[in-house]
Amino acid sequence: MRNDFIQFCNRLSPLNKKATKDLSDVLKYKSIKKNDYLLKCGEVCRHLYFINEGLTKTYFINKGKDFIMKFFSERSMFTVLDSFLSQAPSKYMVLALEPTTITYITHTELEALCKKHHCFETFFRKVNSLASISMMKRISETLEENATERYHDFVNGDHSLIQRISLGDLASYLGITQVSLSRIRARK
């Protein structure tokens, strides 16, 4: 499990031996049951996560309705970036949709590694860049595409998730009702 996190880091910014050892020394593991939270609204996101096995969703609730921002599955690294960077309470929640095993590092430990090793500064800059690109893509899809296009983009891009998420969650992610989703799926 530790090796998967380290391999992900190395793909973004090659780590030297000392940096790898220092990272390995601070990584932690956790198993989360289905429907357990990694983060609740109002809590500060203090971790950068890597999913070894399982599936999570990041979402918020507005006027009693769920708005799903993103799903994260195996070999994904994620955090609630605004809360993680500012160390301020989050309006988002992270929920395990399946039994999930994660490897993680705390904000404090990551900051210390960035100060000690330039390769971690590069790594974290690239993580932030990828998160920004992903969010811009998500915003663009939501604003520029109709529901049918968003559905087809999701199926083509994340086809393995279709069997793992509920239709209600998929509809929420797409920003439509389950009735509208059923109509789109029927038109295949």
Side-chain angles (χ1 to χ4, degrees):
M1 287 188 248
R2 179 175 298 183
N3 287 337
D4 292 339
F5 190 107
I6 292 170
Q7 286 174 1
F8 186 93
C9 292
N10 274 310
R11 282 194 301 274
L12 292 182
S13 176
L15 307 178
N16 60 44
K17 286 183 182 181
K18 178 65 174 145
T20 300
K21 181 184 181 331
D22 288 350
L23 174 61
S24 185
D25 288 346
V26 298
L27 288 177
K28 296 173 186 66
Y29 309 95
K30 188 173 186 177
S31 292
I32 295 101
K33 295 177 185 171
K34 180 179 179 177
N35 295 322
D36 279 356
Y37 285 89
L38 280 82
L39 181 71
K40 293 180 181 177
C41 183
E43 294 178 344
V44 175
C45 185
R46 301 192 189 282
H47 304 102
L48 177 64
Y49 301 104
F50 180 84
I51 298 183
N52 301 301
E53 294 178 44
L55 178 65
T56 66
K57 69 177 178 180
T58 300
Y59 72 106
F60 67 96
I61 299 173
N62 187 3
K63 298 178 183 173
K65 185 176 175 186
D66 288 4
F67 292 88
I68 298 175
M69 299 303 294
K70 191 87 172 145
F71 297 99
F72 295 97
S73 60
E74 293 83 8
R75 293 170 301 285
S76 295
M77 185 169 284
F78 74 97
T79 190
V80 176
L81 195 59
D82 60 339
S83 178
F84 185 78
L85 292 175
S86 67
Q87 289 296 277
S90 177
K91 75 176 212 172
Y92 297 97
M93 294 170 274
V94 180
L95 179 73
L97 297 176
E98 300 175 350
T100 301
T101 305
I102 57 169
T103 303
Y104 64 96
I105 185 171
T106 68
H107 179 271
T108 304
E109 292 162 337
L110 182 59
E111 286 290 319
L113 287 173
C114 286
K115 286 179 184 174
K116 189 173 181 181
H117 301 284
H118 178 69
C119 56
F120 278 108
E121 286 182 345
T122 302
F123 160 75
F124 195 49
R125 178 182 51 79
K126 289 183 178 182
V127 165
N128 286 323
S129 296
L130 291 174
S132 296
I133 291 166
S134 176
M135 191 51 58
M136 292 303 293
K137 181 178 182 282
R138 175 84 169 107
I139 291 167
S140 177
E141 288 170 353
T142 303
L143 296 175
E144 296 174 9
E145 295 180 353
N146 66 44
T148 301
E149 291 169 330
R150 290 193 306 273
Y151 172 76
H152 289 297
D153 285 349
F154 185 84
V155 169
N156 292 333
D158 296 318
H159 60 276
S160 65
L161 293 182
I162 289 292
Q163 301 302 318
R164 297 170 68 184
I165 61 174
S166 71
L167 291 178
D169 278 351
L170 179 55
S172 174
Y173 176 81
L174 296 172
I176 59 176
T177 65
Q178 280 188 253
V179 172
S180 295
L181 177 59
S182 294
R183 285 187 197 122
I184 291 168
R185 290 171 48 123
R187 285 184 275 196
K188 280 185 181 181

